[in-house]
């Protein structure tokens, strides 16, 4: 009889703090009198729809809208419940990762949905090109959960954390769980192949 496998993100209780995974990627938190809105522009509609499902599970209201150029955006409505998240991820007007941040399984899942991409037998987690000071700290944050990445982004490549090797990819998958239930997601989800 095979051993049952439980994915951390699928047994972890959803929480507002999980939205920090969007901020670890290229998402933004904006504050107004109505509260904080967290949003992220993504490259494919499936990503936006999957993010809205994940965000809604935390208890925050969310929707898909589009930029003037037609790119999908997953965003929350304004809420004071998200104000603390904004405070922790901001240093003045600049995005800043909180000291000692450790991504929850669901935060890393949101990051993967928003900015993850297969790269042959490796996996890339996209970073915010407008917040380069967060990149080394985010690499350290992944190390805290046992996924040691390499920071890439030179020679014309987009800034990302590259995860390579069977053990690291397996651990990442155990942490974030199965891909969203949409046919497009599986092709972009981490996979342990060629080992």
């Amino acid at each position: 009889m095979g051993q049952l496998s439980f994915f951390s993100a699928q047994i972890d209780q959803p929480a507002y703090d999980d939205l920090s995974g969007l901020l670890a990627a290229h998402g933004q938190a904006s504050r107004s009198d109505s509260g904080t809105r967290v949003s992220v522009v993504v490259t494919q509609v499936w990503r936006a729809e999957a993010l809205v499902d994940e965000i809604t599970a935390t208890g925050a209201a969310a929707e898909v809208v589009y930029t003037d150029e037609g790119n999908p955006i997953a965003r929350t409505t304004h809420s004071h419940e998200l104000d603390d998240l904004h405070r922790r991820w901001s240093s003045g007007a600049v995005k800043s990762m909180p000291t000692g941040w450790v991504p929850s399984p669901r935060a890393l899942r949101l990051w993967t949905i928003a900015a993850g991409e297969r790269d042959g037998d490796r996996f890339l987690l996209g970073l915010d090109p407008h917040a380069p000071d967060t990149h080394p700290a985010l690499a350290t944050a992944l190390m805290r959960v046992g996924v040691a990445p390499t920071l890439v982004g030179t020679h014309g490549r987009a800034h990302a954390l590259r995860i390579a090797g069977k053990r690291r990819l397996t651990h990442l998958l155990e942490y974030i769980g199965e891909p969203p239930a949409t046919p497009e997601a599986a092709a972009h989800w981490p996979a342990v192949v060629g080992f």
Side-chain angles (χ1 to χ4, degrees), residues 149-169:
T150 302
L151 183 59
V152 296
T154 57
H155 309 297
R157 294 191 65 147
H159 294 280
L161 297 177
R162 184 175 58 212
I163 301 161
K166 181 179 180 181
R167 184 176 53 81
R168 290 181 183 122
L169 287 166

Side-chain angles (χ1 to χ4, degrees), residues 125-185:
L125 276 174
L127 298 167
D128 190 340
H130 303 293
D133 291 346
T134 65
H135 300 177
L138 288 165
T140 300
L142 274 189
M143 289 179 201
R144 290 186 187 110
V145 297
V147 181
T150 302
L151 183 59
V152 296
T154 57
H155 309 297
R157 294 191 65 147
H159 294 280
L161 297 177
R162 184 175 58 212
I163 301 161
K166 181 179 180 181
R167 184 176 53 81
R168 290 181 183 122
L169 287 166
T170 299
H171 188 65
L172 175 65
L173 278 167
E174 289 171 351
Y175 208 66
I176 63 172
E178 298 288 336
T182 180
E184 300 95 336

